[in-house]
Amino acid sequence: MVTLWPWLQTLEPMQRFLMAQVFIEAVTSRFTEVVYNLLQQIAEQSSNSIMKEVKSVMRYMKTPIFAQQLSPDGRTLIGERTKVLENDLKWEAHLVEGMWVSKQNDKYYLFYAGNDFSTTQYGIGVAVADALLGPYHKLDKPFLQSTDRWAAPGHPSVTITTAGKPVMFLHAYFPGRAGYKQFRALLSIKLNFDGDKVTWEE
């Protein structure tokens, strides 16, 4: 990957995405090992050019998510930005995305997708905080993962039903069909909130 990285940067965005996808799928199942190997290369490397490429790859393996206040007209950002989330759990691998914050019983629940959407490791995580900007404390394991019925659940959003009950909408693939240009179904599940715990039911 480090050797091909300069060439990948010359491609158009969609071509770069499709080419990088091959590497992403190859490393997500052993992401921790790959990161360790890259760090070893940095430690052992005497060539500045190769070290620069390794560090560039490492930078793209972190996806911090920030929150920042909008101006009253909603057109610009004001004030300082705050990092509220970053991929640091093994199951998340190289990516966290698609976050949604829901306030329930004086707690803030941040739902997000992690890992790569083309693999069965993709799932939904949750972090809980007492304030909108955190600090958020993640559950160690995914809130939702692939099952024998649906694969790669992601991009959660939470709303309230007409009966006043919280419900999550998400998308997922048919088993064995996750990936680019594949059909994704819109699903919903009922949520139950209790302090730092969140559970779901169909």
Side-chain angles (χ1 to χ4, degrees):
M1 179 67 173
V2 173
T3 304
L4 293 176
W5 191 255
W7 171 72
L8 283 174
Q9 298 305 302
T10 68
L11 301 178
E12 292 296 317
M14 187 51 74
Q15 291 175 317
R16 187 165 61 243
F17 168 79
L18 292 172
M19 290 302 298
Q21 195 65 30
V22 176
F23 299 105
I24 290 168
E25 291 177 20
V27 302
T28 50
S29 61
R30 53 189 194 91
F31 183 76
T32 305
E33 179 186 344
V34 170
V35 169
Y36 175 80
N37 288 337
L38 287 171
L39 290 172
Q40 283 295 106
Q41 285 187 43
I42 292 173
E44 297 169 1
Q45 191 54 244
S46 59
S47 167
N48 286 335
S49 62
I50 294 177
M51 187 182 299
K52 182 180 176 182
E53 296 303 333
V54 172
K55 287 183 177 179
S56 178
V57 171
M58 288 290 293
R59 184 168 58 90
Y60 283 102
M61 296 173 101
K62 284 291 184 183
T63 51
I65 296 177
F66 297 91
Q68 191 168 350
Q69 186 177 349
L70 280 173
S71 61
D73 63 6
R75 294 184 178 186
T76 58
L77 296 171
I78 58 175
E80 297 293 321
R81 68 179 188 172
T82 302
K83 183 166 71 172
V84 293
L85 199 71
E86 186 173 69
N87 51 317
D88 55 13
L89 297 178
K90 185 176 180 179
W91 77 266
E92 297 165 344
H94 68 296
L95 179 70
V96 288
E97 62 178 358
M99 61 179 273
W100 185 282
V101 178
S102 178
K103 186 178 182 184
Q104 304 285 338
N105 305 321
D106 297 323
K107 293 275 189 182
Y108 292 88
Y109 298 85
L110 190 158
F111 295 92
Y112 63 96
N115 210 294
D116 189 76
F117 76 100
S118 66
T119 73
T120 57
Q121 303 305 308
Y122 193 66
I124 294 173
V126 63
V128 185
D130 293 320
L132 178 60
L133 296 180
Y136 282 90
H137 303 285
K138 294 179 184 175
L139 300 182
D140 292 333
K141 297 180 180 179
F143 178 66
L144 285 176
Q145 287 183 293
S146 297
T147 67
D148 57 353
R149 292 178 58 196
W150 296 103
H155 286 251
S157 58
V158 178
T159 189
I160 303 297
T161 67
T162 53
K165 302 294 184 182
V167 62
M168 175 188 285
F169 290 96
L170 62 135
H171 64 60
Y173 297 94
F174 289 123
R177 299 281 181 88
Y180 186 64
K181 289 191 174 181
Q182 295 293 326
F183 169 77
R184 285 194 241 195
L186 175 63
L187 308 176
S188 66
I189 56 173
K190 298 174 185 175
L191 298 177
N192 298 299
F193 295 92
D194 182 15
D196 289 348
K197 296 181 180 178
V198 189
T199 57
W200 64 275
E201 56 186 292
E202 292 186 18

